[in-house]
Amino acid sequence: MALILSLETSTKVCSVAVHKDGDLLSVYEFRVERSHSKLITQAISFLLSGLELKVTDLDAIAVSRGPGSYTGLRIGVSTAKGLCYALEKPLISVDTLAAMARKVNKFNFKDSLVCPMIDARRLEVYSAVYNKSNETISPVSAVILNESSFGEFLSSNEIIFLGDGAAKFEPIVKHADNAFFLKSENPSAEYVGIIAEEKFSDKQFEDVAYFEPFYLKDFISTGSTPK
C-alpha cells in the first residue's frame, strides 16, 4: 500500500498521476507537441500542490518503460530516476502496452483480445496482444502492417485495436468483421499507476543506476519526436 507518482511520456500525449493504495487521486494530461521536457516537472508540481502533497510524501515513482518515442521515453525515465535519486525512493517500471491494455480490459465485457498499437513510422507499429485477464498472448514486437497482420487471431477472435498506431491499421483490414478500433485511446499514467501498485506490493523495483527504457528499436531521428 503506497503513495505513487506515475509518469507516462511514450507518445505525443504526456500524463502524470498520483495513486494512493491503488486508488487514483488525480491525473493531469497535456497534448502540447514537443513539450514533454518543458512541462513534465511543472505538471508534477501542479498535481502534487493540488493534492496538498509534497514530493517527500511519495513512496515510489513509476514510469512507463516503453516501447514508444525514443525522446519521450528518455525524458520520462530521466525525470523518474532523478526523483528517485533525490528522494531515495524506489523506481517502478511498467510496460507501456500492458498499461494500455489494462485500460481497455476494464470495459472488455465480451472477452475480446486487446491489441495496443503505438505508431513507429510508416506502416510499422509497436504492438502486443493481451487477453481479458491481461495475460500476454503475443509479446511486444515491431510489426510492419499488411492485410495478413494478426490474421491468426482475427480468424477466430474479436480484437480491439487501440492507440495511435491503430489508425494506420484500420484501412488495411476494414473488411475484417472481428476487428474493432479505438484510435483515440492513448497511454495514460492512470493505468501505469494501477500496475505500479501491484509491483510495489511485490517489491518489483528497478535498479535506478542501470535502468534504461525499453526502446525496442534503435533510435532514428525523424524530427517528429516529443521534446
Side-chain angles (χ1 to χ4, degrees):
M1 311 296 277
L3 185 68
I4 299 176
L5 171 70
S6 298
L7 313 179
E8 164 51 62
T9 59
S10 65
T11 67
K12 294 178 181 179
V13 180
C14 179
S15 59
V16 297
V18 175
H19 291 75
K20 183 175 177 61
D21 302 338
D23 295 324
L24 178 68
L25 297 184
S26 186
V27 60
Y28 181 75
E29 177 180 290
F30 57 89
R31 300 172 181 242
V32 183
E33 191 170 354
R34 301 175 66 84
S35 63
H36 290 19
S37 61
K38 297 178 182 178
L39 298 181
I40 190 168
T41 54
Q42 296 177 35
I44 294 169
S45 177
F46 174 82
L47 195 67
L48 292 176
S49 64
L51 294 169
E52 298 183 347
L53 294 171
K54 304 185 294 292
V55 288
T56 51
D57 294 327
L58 298 170
D59 294 304
I61 313 297
V63 66
S64 178
R65 67 186 290 262
S69 157
Y70 180 95
T71 305
L73 292 173
R74 187 181 64 192
I75 291 167
V77 168
S78 62
T79 301
K81 290 174 71 170
L83 287 169
C84 290
Y85 273 123
L87 301 171
E88 297 184 345
K89 302 293 185 179
L91 173 66
I92 302 170
S93 74
V94 174
D95 184 272
T96 305
L97 297 173
M100 293 175 70
R102 182 68 66 98
K103 180 179 182 179
V104 172
N105 270 329
K106 184 177 180 180
F107 307 99
N108 183 5
F109 303 117
K110 297 180 66 176
D111 294 334
S112 303
L113 297 180
V114 176
C115 181
M117 290 180 163
I118 293 177
D119 192 353
R121 298 189 313 273
R122 301 185 182 88
L123 284 177
E124 191 170 19
V125 295
Y126 303 128
S127 68
V129 179
Y130 303 87
N131 64 15
K132 167 68 175 174
S133 300
N134 297 302
E135 298 168 328
T136 303
I137 303 301
S138 181
V140 177
S141 61
V143 177
I144 298 176
L145 299 172
N146 56 52
E147 292 181 354
S148 63
S149 298
F150 305 98
E152 70 273 27
F153 300 112
L154 284 168
S155 61
S156 56
N157 299 276
E158 288 189 354
I159 304 183
I160 301 170
F161 296 96
L162 63 140
D164 57 8
K168 298 195 297 188
F169 192 41
E170 184 175 22
I172 297 174
V173 290
K174 58 184 176 181
H175 300 300
D177 294 334
N178 284 337
F180 300 89
F181 293 87
L182 299 173
K183 294 170 289 185
S184 62
E185 290 292 339
N186 295 293
S188 171
E190 177 179 353
Y191 290 87
V192 171
I194 290 173
I195 297 176
E197 169 66 26
E198 298 168 3
K199 288 194 163 189
F200 185 91
S201 297
D202 293 335
K203 293 182 167 50
Q204 295 182 35
F205 304 137
E206 301 293 345
D207 185 318
V208 178
Y210 295 102
F211 176 73
E212 294 291 337
F214 178 43
Y215 295 121
L216 188 59
K217 293 175 59 180
D218 292 335
F219 173 58
I220 300 176
S221 177
T222 62
S224 61
T225 48
K227 293 183 180 180

